[in-house]
Amino acid sequence: MVYIWDAQQLDGTIGEYGIPTRSLQVSTPLPPFFPPSQTFDVCSAFCVSRVDVDECEYDLHDCQPSQQCINTIGSFHCQCPEGYRKIGTECVDIDECRYRYCQHRCVNSPGSFTCQCESGFQLASNNRSCVDVNECEMGAPCKQRCFNTYGTFICRCNQGYELDHNGFTCKDVDECSYSNYLCQYQCVNEPGHFSCICPQGYNLVSTRLCQDINECETDSHQCTESQNCVNFHGGYRCVEKKLCQEPYIHVSENRCLCPTTNPLCHDKPSSVIYRYMSILADRPVPSDIFQIQATTFYPGAYNTFQIRSGNEDGEFYIRQISNISAMLVLSRAVVGPREFVLDLEMVTVNNLMSYQASSVLRLTVFVGAHPF
């Protein structure tokens, strides 16, 4: 233990060695310039004080290199730094990670440790817990829509788009390539959606179906006063109101009569009636399409029905139902647009009266260009 003496005169005369003439027996260690057992006088105003020596500063301690020297009044002691513990005479680093101070990952370092978080999380204010990062608010690379989830995020696309292989960008979905049944006629792909269109003569209904425009009912035709408008699937036709040709005479809007008094009518059908109808292309076969019915019936008469002309390729045939009716049947699928003019003849025979006559229904069949 080392002390330093300090003397100062406050009042009176300074004697030898700078000590007042008042005598004082010193029994404590003195500086080298004071002889042992020196007797001297000290006045009451003379102060003597002891100043502590910092052993740590002057390297007068015996602490190990791994320890810290802590100075105290009149002494010192050795201790381990924070994050270390004493084992024997040495200070050894404490592995704080063994005590699971961190929520996710712990990285030990000499005298300390740091906590780290998994991807998608960030360190909380206590530097130990991890909180979710909202990547969507921090500029996640999603092209269209971003959804934050616990620890990560998910990119999603708007309707009509699908997520690309990189998981961030969106590419247009070609809905038209998925199915031929999205649109009744034609599908047109557009960025983010698709639309259906219809051919000329049709209106789009319910976003995907095509409905024939009846130009005759909507007055969107160009027929004259002397013509009748005949609508069919996908269009219309203007036909003359007076279709009768010699030797036939016009008796009603769609009927021509060959007078029995005219010699030219002896080998011709007694009447010709004009009718019009429309069928779809690729109609399933066989298919009943038109029924023929006798308007009058005479006792003892027998009626037969046949296709007189217009069926050169055999697309149709007649199926007789009864003595007074028959059915026109489509026997082969036909592709439109196409037009058939069929003379459907009813031959009436009465053997009791030795009578035979015929009448013709001239049926114009329009085949539309499409199956709708």
Side-chain angles (χ1 to χ4, degrees), residues 254 273-279 283 286-295 305-307 316-321 324-331 340 342-346 360-366:
N254 62 344
I273 299 175
Y274 291 86
R275 290 284 188 270
Y276 305 91
M277 70 170 298
S278 175
I279 63 174
R283 182 166 177 166
S287 179
D288 296 346
I289 63 171
F290 190 84
Q291 185 173 357
I292 311 165
Q293 185 80 32
T295 57
F305 300 87
Q306 64 182 7
I307 301 176
F316 306 90
Y317 69 86
I318 290 288
R319 185 181 77 249
Q320 188 151 343
I321 300 173
I324 60 172
S325 66
M327 182 66 69
L328 177 65
V329 180
L330 178 67
S331 59
F340 296 91
L342 303 174
D343 278 357
L344 308 180
E345 184 178 32
M346 182 181 70
V360 168
L361 189 150
R362 185 160 292 166
L363 179 65
T364 301
V365 180
F366 297 102

Side-chain angles (χ1 to χ4, degrees), residues 16 19 23 52 60 75 107 119 169 215 245 353 356 370:
E16 188 179 3
I19 302 299
S23 64
D52 175 56
L60 300 175
S75 183
V107 179
S119 176
T169 58
E215 294 87 353
Q245 298 177 355
M353 300 177 60
Q356 180 173 334
H370 309 285

Side-chain angles (χ1 to χ4, degrees), residues 94-108 112-116 123 126-130:
I94 299 173
D95 186 1
E96 295 87 352
C97 296
R98 296 177 55 189
Y99 303 101
R100 298 185 178 180
Y101 290 144
C102 301
Q103 183 178 359
H104 284 183
R105 293 197 306 263
C106 179
V107 179
N108 187 62
S112 183
F113 70 97
T114 55
C115 294
Q116 296 179 352
L123 211 57
N126 60 12
N127 291 326
R128 295 188 178 186
S129 302
C130 294

Side-chain angles (χ1 to χ4, degrees), residues 34 82 148 150 165 194 225 266 270 330:
F34 282 100
E82 185 178 358
N148 185 64
Y150 189 70
H165 298 299
F194 71 97
E225 291 293 331
H266 290 168
S270 60
L330 178 67

